[in-house]
Amino acid sequence: MELQYIKGIGPKRLKLLNRLGVFSDTDLLNYFPRRYEDRSQIVPLAFLTDGQTATVKVFVKDVREQTPKKGMTVLKAYVGDESGNGTAVWFNQPFLKKQILPGSQMLLTGKAQCRFGQREIVAADYQAANDPDELLEGARIIPVYPLTEGLSQRFFREVIRQLLSRPRDKEEDLYPEEFRERYGLIPRAEAARSIHFPEDEDSFHKARKRLVFDELFLVQLALIISRNQMKREDGGVAHTRNGDLVPRWLEALPFALTAAQRRVMEEVRRDMESLSSMQRLVQGDVGSGKTAVAAFALLKAVENGCQSALMAPTEILARQHFETLFKWFAPLGVRIGLLTGALSSGGKKAEMESVSSGETQVVVGTHALFQENIRFRHLTLLVIDEQHRFGVKQRALMEEKGFTADVLVMSATPIPRTLALTLYGDLDISSLDELPPGRKPVETFCVLERARGKLQRFIGECLGKGRQVYVVCPLIEESETLDLKNAKEVRESYARIFSGYSVGLLHGRMKPAEKAEVMEGFVQGRIHVLVTTTVIEVGVNVPQATVMVVESAERFGLAQLHQLRGRVGRGEDQSHCILVTETKNPVALKRMKLMTQTNDGFKLAEEDMVLRGPGEFFGSRQHGLPDFKLAKMPEDAPLLESARQAAVQLLEEDPLLRSAEHRRIGREVGSLMDAMVTI
Ligand code: ADP
Ligand code: MG
């Protein structure tokens, strides 16, 4: 049914609903309450206690309006029940005069103030009725919806109740009965009713369980199906040839691989040698040596006469990867190219030609790589660095370009196990769960503004020993200009204090060539202190930099602080991370404290999720997956587990969801997958 045909929804409200993302009656039913108010217990007036939020059932004796100040109205109702008398007040809602009528019965809900023997209910919600039975209907658990201006609780309760009481044309459930029973789920229609107007706590929990299961189950199905599509038996290239490039590279490496690196390379090797395409995520904490794993895969493709590509999220990182790989690959005679926005158009054209002719064997670039009109000669492996999600969307984009071979995604963002399943249900996961030997854990301190003198002495000492220092300034989201001013000011103050040293500035708004030059200066040790924004958050590797100062550290999330800290501690020397803050916010302080207590990215991620919720944790970086309306991690992890199993089992029984009893599921998953592609 279209929304405008529902009683109470005119053009104006329709617009407001649209703004909330509500376009259909289904959307409206899926507009879930934020919380509930228990009005099932009616309290006699005489029993009210001061400060209590309660519901009373009263008779209205009289109503008066007062205007104690200009522009202010107080509506006062004198009410009573069998137990006694009291008043109810509403502030600045003069229109209520027409609804709160002397002689009527009402349910009032609000906060009680009991002083000097007087009982008053403040800012009360009300429900009037002529018929006492109708009143009792309101004495129940009541939903409280998230609101927007112009739409009231009363409105939502009313229209949703209307929708729920609509006679339904014997709508089938999404699942066959046997399936519901197996997973302990109530019928969908019952769940829809109870999530809005639960009879009691138990019926709420059952409803929520059913709806959360639906959310998780459909996404799991979509992920598994899209993965099966990508993994079509003949979807990849079997890189079975083992030449001498990989052994020669390993021979020349200045370090021995960690056991974890060897294990993960083995997993990658197996994927690459099989004919079905690789869809693998390598997860490893900052500094665990993911680049070497990438290099292995890139070389293996070349060894098989193919081209391979490495995509990085920033120019700086792409350039750094290029330099590392160039050092490793050039002596082997492997031709490697760099494609970023920093190239002149002529340079870019030449590089692209060299890629399409096949002369360039390994190409490193930013994510723009695939947006460009680039043509590969024979690309069979794509490595994507520092992204925790290579979404269905990007895959579709690549398929459009006719590329369906092996994909290796690398991420340092530690994803708690539970979430990994939701986010990467479509990827195989490898873990680099070991740091190279000899690393000293970074020591982390939290420093208050008033101890800045001490901090400066410490930085001075480090510089004196020939170490280098990062200073990261926060990003102020509302204003990029402010950010810049901030970073520039910080640079100036550092330059004044450490006048004997060279202090550089690096931020996102600089031209690519300028960025590259500053970064180069820092890598080569010409710049001693690098004042920067979060542009260096991921991936950057300058082992002789041992101090990371984070200014206004309270503005960063845990995951981000951990990433920043990962820029130091990459060499043999003891490194330090110093969080400067003045905050008194207890949650922010808790984050700082956690940082000083642990270097374990996984542990921090779990904590971050608890402190801020998963949505916040991923922030705007989570792409390609629908937001969950009800499901919450980690609380719903057990349900996720069971939804996942249900999805796997269902697809085993009916891979294409073609049987009559699964057709509805198939339809829902289909539209979900469409949405995932177009997000
Ligand atoms: P990340 O996983 O954060 O991308 P990198 O690949 O940048 O880490 O590696 C971090 C540093 O550790 C680099 O300087 C790299 O050369 C070095 N490294 C990588 N693997 C090893 C190893 N097995 N032994 C010693 N150093 C290593
Ligand atoms: Mg890296």
Side-chain angles (χ1 to χ4, degrees), residues 586-604:
V587 178
L589 284 173
K590 179 126 192 258
R591 287 206 297 270
M592 308 288 125
K593 180 130 181 264
L594 279 168
M595 284 292 295
T596 64
Q597 287 169 339
T598 180
N599 271 303
D600 181 338
F602 280 88
K603 202 162 158 216
L604 287 170

Side-chain angles (χ1 to χ4, degrees), residues 287 289-291 317 320-321 385-386 410 412 538-540 567 570:
K290 290 182 291 295
T291 316
L317 199 49
Q320 175 189 294
H321 278 320
D385 191 26
E386 295 299 352
M410 302 199 295
V538 291
V540 170
R567 297 312 109 220
R570 300 188 149 245

Side-chain angles (χ1 to χ4, degrees), residues 255-258 261 285-291 436 439 541 570:
F255 48 75
L257 298 176
T258 63
Q261 280 169 321
D285 210 343
V286 285
S288 59
K290 290 182 291 295
T291 316
R439 295 271 175 80
N541 186 42
R570 300 188 149 245

